[in-house]
């Protein structure tokens, strides 16, 4: 059997790192990418090939794809995982910051996807796995820009799945709930800096407390839970279009699907306190 080549972005931490470990164990050729290359030394020791890539830097994205195409005839499975949650009141967030959130969580992965597609089309085979979030379906206050990127990613992925069907390339969406990674820290401090002392200060402090409670106390799920879902999507001949998992994922998606908007508003309101 020919080894499939996988590229995972955002593998210096959290879900990406856990996924790289699972896939290398299963015998895939695994390229990993992130800005902090040294944070992938452990993955290199396991047999992964770490590459430096800022997902907002076009030159670096092109270089990564070129390198994989030179040595391994292109990417068979692309896992678009790099991302972060930029929180704070919509009113307090500069449009420049909002654009950056979209650059990282949507446009960067879109550019990378454009670059791997020609080889996939040539081979008439491939998988694009996009790490969205339950935040691609549900929402919280102070998360307008993050949720906008993930809602956009959901629609973008659905369109792409239809567009690529004729080339035997599948597109799968992963929707994690609360997962114990660096995500909580990356989100909380900048949010407090942005909105902690504004008209939204009280709400920002409450959301920070709730976030810390779910990410730092033993409440959120381990990243391996999502790595296993990704493995399912990678290995399935006919994967589902969406896989959801981790703390809060199933109940919140259920309420969002079957309840009214106002009911969901009240559930989130109660969760934040
Ligand atoms: P982490 O913060 O632990 O990991 C994020 C990864 O993204 C890091 O490897 C980081 O690498 C990379 N990254 C961030 N910005 C850039 C950039 N500009 N260029 C390249 N890489 C970048 O968080 P998670 O593992 O939790 O996040 C992974 C994905 O899961 C994200 O898309 C997130 O939105 C999603 N998610 C997470 C949830 C959670 O509760 N943890 C819930 C729902 C979705 P580096 O800084 O080295 O570049």
């Amino acid at each position: 059997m020919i080894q499939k080549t996988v590229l995972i972005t955002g593998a210096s931490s959290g879900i990406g790192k856990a996924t790289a470990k699972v896939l290398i164990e299963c015998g895939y050729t695994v390229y990993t990418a992130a800005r902090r290359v040294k944070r992938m030394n452990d993955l290199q020791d396991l047999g992964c090939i770490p590459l430096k890539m800022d997902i907002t830097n076009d030159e670096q994205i092109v270089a990564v794809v070129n390198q994989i195409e030179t040595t391994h005839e292109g990417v068979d499975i692309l896992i678009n995982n790099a991302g972060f949650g930029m929180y704070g009141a919509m009113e307090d967030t500069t449009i420049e910051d909002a654009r950056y959130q979209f650059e990282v969580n949507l446009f960067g992965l879109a550019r990378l996807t454009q670059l791997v597609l020609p080889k996939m089309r040539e081979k008439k085979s491939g998988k694009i796995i996009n790490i969205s979030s339950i935040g691609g379906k549900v929402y919280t206050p102070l998360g307008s820009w993050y949720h906008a990127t993930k809602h956009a990613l959901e629609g973008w992925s659905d369109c792409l799945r239809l567009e690529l069907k004729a080339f035997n390339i599948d597109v799968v969406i992963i929707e994690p709930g609360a997962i114990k990674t660096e995500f909580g820290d990356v989100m909380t401090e900048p949010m407090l800096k942005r909105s902690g002392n504004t008209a939204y200060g009280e709400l920002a402090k409450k959301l920070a407390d709730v976030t810390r409670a779910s990410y730092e106390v033993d409440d959120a799920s381990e990243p391996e839970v999502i790595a296993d879902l990704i493995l399912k999507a990678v290995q399935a001949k006919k994967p589902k279009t969406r896989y959801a998992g981790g703390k809060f994922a199933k109940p919140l998606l259920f309420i969002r699907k079957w309840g009214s908007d106002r009911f969901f508003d009240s559930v989130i309101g109660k969760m934040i306190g």
Side-chain angles (χ1 to χ4, degrees):
M1 206 180 82
I2 303 167
Q3 268 187 341
K4 296 260 187 215
T5 301
V6 184
L7 169 60
I8 311 174
T9 67
S12 59
S13 153
I15 294 170
K17 182 173 280 216
T19 305
K21 286 181 183 167
V22 166
L23 291 177
I24 198 86
E25 249 173 50
C26 291
Y28 291 90
T29 300
V30 180
Y31 283 88
T32 58
R35 293 169 300 181
R36 295 169 296 173
V37 212
K38 283 192 185 148
R39 294 281 300 273
M40 297 185 286
N41 283 351
D42 54 340
L43 296 177
Q44 187 164 26
D45 292 343
L46 295 173
C48 296
I49 307 152
L51 300 172
K52 184 176 173 62
M53 187 186 75
D54 181 332
I55 196 73
T56 66
N57 182 319
D58 198 68
E59 240 172 64
Q60 290 182 13
I61 301 175
V62 170
V64 160
V65 175
N66 281 345
Q67 178 164 346
I68 301 175
E69 292 193 348
T70 314
T71 37
H72 278 102
E73 292 193 23
V75 176
D76 296 304
I77 299 155
L78 171 63
I79 303 176
N80 283 316
N81 166 71
F84 78 105
M86 198 196 61
Y87 276 67
M90 197 290 294
E91 192 183 337
D92 298 333
T93 307
T94 64
I95 294 300
E96 197 187 356
D97 282 355
R99 283 209 174 98
Y100 183 70
Q101 174 78 118
F102 267 91
E103 288 297 336
V104 175
N105 286 9
L106 187 69
F107 294 119
L109 70 86
R111 178 66 182 134
L112 178 60
T113 306
Q114 284 180 337
L115 291 170
V116 304
L117 279 177
K119 280 274 180 214
M120 287 187 178
R121 281 192 295 100
E122 216 174 88
K123 292 194 242 179
K124 273 210 154 239
S125 141
K127 259 183 204 167
I128 315 279
I129 299 179
N130 293 329
I131 314 308
S132 173
S133 166
I134 56 167
K137 294 263 180 62
V138 305
Y139 49 86
T140 68
L142 308 192
S144 57
W145 293 112
Y146 176 66
H147 289 276
T149 64
K150 294 298 187 180
H151 276 66
L153 178 59
E154 297 262 338
W156 184 87
S157 303
D158 285 329
C159 293
L160 201 60
R161 189 175 62 252
L162 293 178
E163 224 166 278
L164 297 177
K165 192 172 173 3
F167 305 104
N168 195 34
I169 301 167
D170 211 347
V171 179
V172 178
I173 297 163
I174 309 286
E175 297 171 330
I179 313 298
K180 233 181 273 169
T181 65
E182 292 177 8
F183 185 89
D185 286 342
V186 170
M187 166 201 161
T188 314
E189 283 314 313
M191 171 180 76
L192 287 174
K193 217 170 156 200
R194 199 173 271 120
S195 290
N197 293 309
T198 70
Y200 304 90
E202 202 183 317
L203 183 57
K205 282 168 197 147
K206 274 187 191 164
L207 186 60
D209 287 346
V210 171
T211 306
R212 285 191 189 114
S214 18
Y215 283 90
E216 286 162 25
V217 183
D218 228 9
D219 207 14
S221 304
E222 296 298 332
E224 286 71 21
V225 170
I226 303 303
D228 287 343
L229 282 186
I230 296 173
L231 179 66
K232 254 192 203 166
V234 165
Q235 291 185 327
K237 255 198 161 150
K238 282 193 179 167
K240 295 198 291 183
T241 55
R242 283 174 166 76
Y243 294 82
K247 184 86 183 173
F248 303 130
K250 294 276 167 67
L252 283 181
L253 289 174
F254 181 87
I255 297 168
R256 180 70 189 118
K257 185 166 180 183
W258 301 107
S260 67
D261 293 347
R262 296 281 182 210
F263 181 65
F264 191 82
D265 290 358
S266 71
V267 170
I268 289 297
K270 279 191 193 115
M271 280 177 85
I272 295 170

